[in-house]
Amino acid sequence: MTAPGADPVRLIAHELDAEYVGVGRRGTLYRAPARRRCYRLIPRAELGADHRDELNRWQHLGSRAGLATVVPADTAGDQQRLGGRWYQVVCYETSGRHSLADAIADPDPARRVDAVVTALRALPGWWESLGPGMVPMPADIVLTDTGPQLLPLPRWGAPSFTELLTAPERVLYLAPDLARGQTAVGREEDLFALAVAALRCFGTSPDSDAERLLHRAACAVAPSGERLDGRLPVWMRRVGPIRAVLEDLCELTTAPRRGDADVRRLADRLQRARNAMDPVAAVQALRDAGEPDQALALARAVLVDDPHYDVLVLAATIAYQDTAAPLEALTLLDRAVEAAPERVEAYEEQMSVVAVGEVWAVVQTLLSDAIDDSFTRRLDTTVQTAFHRLPHALRGKHAPAMASHLIRQGRVREANAFAHKWLHDGKTLMWWRFDLMIAYATTFWLLGRHAEAVQVTGVIEQGLRRVRENGSVEITAIELYELLLEQLEDEMAEEENP
C-alpha cells in the first residue's frame, strides 16, 4: 500500500519509533508491535473540537470483542507535531503484528483470501459493537492470533475531499454513492469496502491518480477494472469457484444494492474459492464431479509453472484410472520421482499402473514398430526401481504387480522364485494372498510344471471357499479372484485339451 505523498513517512516512523502500515479510512496507520501499539495520525485540520472530544471519550470505553482498545497516547499527548505537521494521534493497544493491508500484499493468493474471509466473518460482530458505517480499509484491520481486530473510529462518514486527494486509493473503498456525496453510511457501504479488499486479492487496479479514481467511483465502475485476474497463476483463472466469486465481487462493487449486505454468503463463496486455490483440491473436485478430462487438463495447466508433487501423482492416477492413458501416467510419475525421490507415493502409483493390463497392450503396440527394446528396458528399470524404493510392507502389497510384470516380460522362472519368496513367511504359505497365489500358479503352468500349477489352484479354490463362508474378505474381492482363477483354469484346460 502506498503512502500519501504529503506524509514524510520515514521521518514520522522514526519519531514514533514505529513502522508504516498504510492509509486508513481516516489518517495513516503506524505500528509498534514490541509496545503492543498502533497509531492513527489524522491531520489536525481534519478534526474539530467535537471530534477530538469524542476521541477522548473513546479512551474510557475499555476493551470490546473484535476491537482494539483506544488508549491515551504516549507522554507527548494526543496532539503531536510529527514530520513537520500537527496530527491528532489515536493510540490503540493490540497484539497484532500484521494488518489486512500486509495480508493483501502477500504473494500467496490463498493467504490473501484467508485474511479477507476472517475480516468478513468479523464484520457482524463489529456492527454489534459499533453499529454500521465504519467503512474499514485494509490498514484499519489488525490480524492477531485470536482473530482480526478493527482499529475503530467514531462513525464520521466518508473521508473529506482533501483526504481523498491526499491518498487517492481511499476512493477504491468508497461505494459509488459515497463518492458522489451521499452522507448516509450503512452495512452496504461497509461490505463494499471489504469486497474491494477481496478484489485486490485477485487483481490490481489500473488507475492510481486521484482524478481517474474519483471518476471511476462516481460512474460506479468496478474498482479492479480490466485486470481482475492480474495476481493469480494462470491455472487459477480456469477454476469454477474462483471465477464465480469474481463475478460476485464485480457485481457487488459495480452496482451495490441497498438492503443486500449478505456477509455470510460472500464469506462462504470466498472460502470456497480459497479452498479451490489448492491445486490438488481443485483437480480432485473436477474428478469427483465426473469430469476427469477437465481435471487432467487443469493438472497440466498447474504443472506448466509448478512441478507440484501431489498434483503429478494425482494427475497420473486420473490418467491411468479414468482416461485410459497409462503411458502419460508413467511420464507424470517419472516427473514426480525426479521432484521428490524420497517420497513413496509416486513409486506406489508406478506399481499400480504396471498392474493395469491395458498398459501392456499399449506397450505391445509400440514395440511392433520399435527398432529395439529400449522402451521395454526403460519400463523394467522404472518398475524395479519403484518396487525396491518402497518400504518392505508396501513391497508386499505390490508384490502381485511385480510378479505379473516379470511374467509379461517372459521372465517366468524369476517370477516363480519371486512369488514363492513373498508367499512364504518362514514355512507358512500365505494362501490368503489370492492375487499373488494366482500369479504363482501361472508361473508353474508356464514352466511346464502342470502338477504344481493344479496343486496351487486347488489351494486357491479351498481358500476362496473358506473366506466366502467366514466373511473375512469382501464379496466383490472374492468374486474378482474367482473370475481370475476361472480364466487361468480355462487356459490350462484349453492347452491340455486342444
Side-chain angles (χ1 to χ4, degrees), residues 425-456:
D425 182 9
K427 295 183 178 180
T428 302
L429 173 67
M430 291 183 283
W431 56 264
W432 55 90
R433 295 291 310 274
F434 297 113
D435 44 5
L436 192 52
M437 286 286 287
I438 292 170
Y440 194 37
T442 302
T443 61
F444 280 123
W445 185 259
L446 293 175
L447 289 170
R449 298 165 62 177
H450 293 185
E452 288 97 327
V454 171
Q455 181 182 0
V456 174

Side-chain angles (χ1 to χ4, degrees), residues 87-413:
Y87 293 94
Q88 180 77 24
V89 179
V90 185
C91 184
Y92 302 94
E93 185 176 65
T94 175
S95 60
R97 304 186 67 86
H98 302 283
S99 71
L100 184 59
D102 298 318
I104 291 175
D106 194 296
D108 185 341
R111 288 198 292 265
R112 297 196 294 261
V113 175
D114 268 337
V116 174
V117 169
T118 62
L120 278 167
R121 298 204 188 282
L123 188 56
W126 295 337
W127 283 336
E128 289 182 9
S129 297
L130 292 177
M134 61 200 74
V135 193
M137 288 183 60
D140 291 316
I141 298 171
V142 176
L143 304 177
T144 74
D145 293 338
T146 57
Q149 284 185 329
L150 182 67
L151 303 178
L153 277 180
R155 290 172 293 140
W156 291 330
S160 70
F161 189 70
T162 300
E163 287 183 290
L164 296 180
L165 290 176
T166 302
E169 68 183 278
R170 284 193 178 103
V171 174
L172 288 173
Y173 297 88
L174 294 182
D177 286 345
L178 289 180
R180 290 193 289 260
Q182 170 190 305
T183 56
V185 186
R187 284 177 169 79
E188 291 76 13
E189 288 71 30
D190 292 338
L191 183 58
F192 180 96
L194 287 180
V196 173
L199 268 176
R200 298 192 78 174
C201 296
F202 297 93
T204 56
S205 172
D207 304 313
S208 57
D209 63 279
E211 182 179 353
R212 180 74 170 153
L213 283 169
L214 286 170
H215 174 74
R216 290 178 71 87
C219 295
V221 176
S224 288
E226 307 82 59
R227 301 215 304 266
L228 285 177
D229 57 0
R231 299 185 70 197
L232 298 180
V234 173
W235 70 267
M236 283 190 189
R237 305 173 198 174
R238 303 172 55 173
V239 178
I242 295 175
R243 294 201 310 270
V245 82
L246 275 172
E247 292 175 4
D248 282 353
L249 291 169
C250 287
E251 181 180 356
L252 180 60
T253 55
T254 301
R257 297 185 296 273
R258 304 301 299 177
D260 193 31
D262 192 342
V263 180
R264 178 178 295 179
R265 177 180 180 276
L266 181 58
D268 289 345
R269 288 176 73 86
L270 270 171
Q271 185 63 58
R272 285 194 288 273
R274 181 262 175 269
N275 294 341
M277 289 176 172
D278 178 342
V280 176
V283 173
Q284 186 64 52
L286 284 173
R287 187 189 189 200
D288 293 342
E291 300 289 350
D293 291 323
Q294 291 187 31
L296 194 53
L298 180 61
R300 293 189 192 109
V302 172
L303 295 170
V304 167
D305 299 317
D306 179 14
H308 193 295
Y309 180 88
D310 293 318
V311 174
L312 284 163
V313 174
L314 177 56
T317 303
I318 295 170
Y320 81 83
Q321 288 188 0
D322 304 333
T323 66
L327 294 186
E328 180 177 7
L330 289 173
T331 300
L332 290 164
L333 291 169
D334 281 344
R335 292 176 61 188
V337 167
E338 290 176 6
E342 74 284 356
R343 294 185 59 175
V344 302
E345 296 89 346
Y347 300 123
E348 276 209 272
E349 289 302 300
Q350 284 175 326
M351 298 305 302
S352 297
V353 174
V354 169
V356 177
E358 287 84 347
V359 72
W360 291 100
V362 176
V363 168
Q364 292 303 316
T365 301
L366 289 173
L367 291 178
S368 65
D369 297 323
I371 298 174
D372 56 35
D373 64 349
S374 59
F375 183 85
T376 303
R377 285 187 280 106
R378 179 185 170 190
L379 182 61
D380 181 57
T381 299
T382 296
V383 175
Q384 295 282 356
T385 301
F387 184 78
H388 289 98
R389 286 287 184 91
L390 292 172
H392 186 272
L394 290 179
R395 282 187 222 165
K397 172 185 173 183
H398 292 283
M402 188 64 182
S404 297
H405 166 74
L406 294 171
I407 292 170
R408 289 182 180 118
Q409 286 208 317
R411 295 152 64 179
V412 182
R413 195 172 300 281

